[in-house]
Amino acid sequence: MSRFYLTTAIDYVNSRPHLGTAYEKVTADVIARYHRLRGVETHFLMGNDEHSQNVHRRALELGLDPIAYCDRMESEFRAVWRTLDVSFDDFIRTTEPRHRASVTRMLERIAERGDLYEGFYEGWYCVSCEAFKQEKDLVEGKCPVHHVEPKWLREKNHFFRLSNYRDALLSHFEAHPEFLQPEVRRNEIMRLLESGLEDISVSRSGQAWGIPMPQSPESVVYVWFDALINYASGVGYGTDETRFEAWWPADLHIVGKDITRFHSVFWPAMLMSAGVALPRQVFGHGWVHHRGERMSKTLGTTVDPLEAAERFGVDPLRLYFVKEIPYGQDGDFAYDRFEERYNVDLANNLGNLVSRVATMADKYRGGRLPATAGEPGRLPGAAEAVVGRYTEAMDRLALHEAAAAAFALVDAANEYITETEPWALARDPANADRLSQVLHETAEAVRIAAVLLSPVVPASADTVLARMGGPSATARRFDEATTWSTASERTVVLGPALWPRAEGGRLPGTHDRGEARAMTDSDSGKDAGESQPVPPAAAPAATPAPAADPRITFDAFMEIDLRVATVLAAEKVEKSRKLIKIEVDLGTERRTVVAGIAEAYAPEDLVGRTVVVVANLKPAKLMGIESNGMILAASLEGGIPALVRFDDPPPPPGTRVR
């Protein structure tokens, strides 16, 4: 069996993860899940970088021993990743004995090669980056990442002969154009290499928090040199050679674009010096901005990923990361855009499709769809094409294109329903086989789309697969799971709305939580991530009641929830001349509405028709039937009612009428 070893950057623990950090972990998780789905034995490594001076300082501020603070933060980080459904296989900490052993081993090998020497370092040092900066790298005298002035340092250090590896690195880049991606990152590093490399400091003097230098125990290993070695220590370098040989070299390092230099220049040079194979690929993803501003712990412009997930769910957030932001480019996060994508992609599109298929299967076939033998429609060909586009995109890490391909199959299934009109087929018993075929093929398209989306929205995909009568995405190999099959009977199951439509920044039945607060380490003396009490709002002052006014305010009007709906079934109400009992599809749910339109419409003429429903009307009983809504119609006083109509094609069920 082939193997795939994937890593992400390890994180400083001076504060809790922010949304930008979560973006990296979630997208890496999507890649890991995809390879597992393809039947590849996968090892996904994440972890924490604990030897930072920022971490040491934060611990002292809280009156904690550094290792006790790091233990606490490990629990915090693991809890966030667990909530976001990140399926890492190992979580490494740089304070672990296995990592210390690996660092010591690699430094010894580099020293044996003659690539370590002592000298004095003098230059600019950014405390937030924990990195030395050259004069040319500064922007108006400040770090371009954290916008703070670096400190001038002069100290005796050990140096790594990075300059010795310029030509070897250039040769590697030329021989392996895939080594650093996307192309814009590769071009940046190629220019850096062509301009020449300077030796780098790999130790810090006068510090006790860190791994002691084997050649000079009074100094500690520079945090970046220490941290990079985690990718090797995580699979046994220096501690378990059998395991190391099985998993190394790493297939893919996922890192932020601001640290590609460390991973594509420093790290491979270190490995060359130590006589260790280079990783196969480094991918430098873009930054996630919040309303146009980069998320940064240092800048205090972060968004809590758990708060974001609480708004509309973990899987919707994962989908936003993947589908909304082209992988490798910068992207933006805003709650209004998050809500829009949730409603469009999930509530109105995929969620509505699942509801429509399940409702019609239940209505017309009791949920049991027999095997089909007729000439297939266009969906099998569409599914095959989508699977091809999806795998091609995933293999080149175009995650956003892969997600779009999966949703193209969702669109094709929705269009197929519109074209074939199952509700019309259901009126004529002669079309029974054709109706079964249409329903079965549509359910199969939904099933395959769910398999393709399973790395992105794993929990939701399993729910969709269960409703469409298929096993979970991981129960079968990818090739088998994405092969079209309507040759056997399947049972489709009804269920509640997967993604109720959101309005006003919240889901039905929840309170508006407001915009996520920025998290900074200076919010108070409390530990980072500890929730702060929110003061209660002041009670409004009493005001006299206004005079009666027949007019309503705009806000009052907007409280009326008018929704587009499709009529699924209709029948006359016994002992009533005017009433018809109507079952409608509201996109995310099925409702019963009683309408006084029997004088104008026969029940069989209503099925498949698009109507407008007052969706937030309190239930009322008419002739013993509970009506959950009102269908809009117009008529003169005492005249025949006429239903509101739409131009073709009508908006999909669930669309709000304004």
Side-chain angles (χ1 to χ4, degrees), residues 154-158 201 203-208 218-220:
R154 186 179 189 276
E155 60 182 37
K156 187 176 182 180
N157 287 337
H158 285 79
S201 170
S203 70
R204 297 296 309 277
S205 60
Q207 297 181 8
E218 69 276 6
S219 300
V220 298

Side-chain angles (χ1 to χ4, degrees), residues 251-317:
D251 293 276
L252 180 61
H253 293 320
I254 298 291
V255 300
K257 68 177 184 178
D258 54 322
I259 57 175
T260 52
R261 177 167 60 100
F262 294 95
H263 289 82
S264 61
V265 178
F266 295 1
W267 179 226
M270 292 161 57
L271 293 170
M272 288 177 178
S273 178
V276 179
L278 272 58
R280 294 188 173 94
Q281 189 174 54
V282 177
F283 188 93
H285 63 77
W287 289 335
V288 178
H289 299 277
H290 182 219
R291 298 192 179 278
E293 188 172 6
R294 183 197 171 211
M295 291 190 196
S296 166
K297 296 177 183 178
T298 304
L299 301 177
T301 54
T302 61
V303 174
D304 187 338
L306 297 187
E307 185 169 355
E310 188 184 5
R311 287 288 185 100
F312 307 119
V314 170
D315 277 356
L317 179 62

Side-chain angles (χ1 to χ4, degrees), residues 4-54:
F4 184 78
Y5 177 29
L6 167 71
T7 76
T8 66
I10 55 176
D11 301 306
Y12 287 150
V13 294
N14 53 306
S15 63
R16 294 178 68 249
H18 59 69
L19 203 70
T21 317
Y23 171 74
E24 175 176 290
K25 285 21 182 189
V26 167
T27 53
D29 181 65
V30 171
I31 297 168
R33 288 178 180 272
Y34 167 71
H35 280 85
R36 296 189 191 112
L37 188 62
R38 297 298 302 269
V40 178
E41 185 180 3
T42 299
H43 188 69
F44 177 19
L45 176 71
M46 291 171 38
N48 285 346
D49 187 356
E50 298 179 345
H51 284 142
S52 156
Q53 290 303 302
N54 288 322

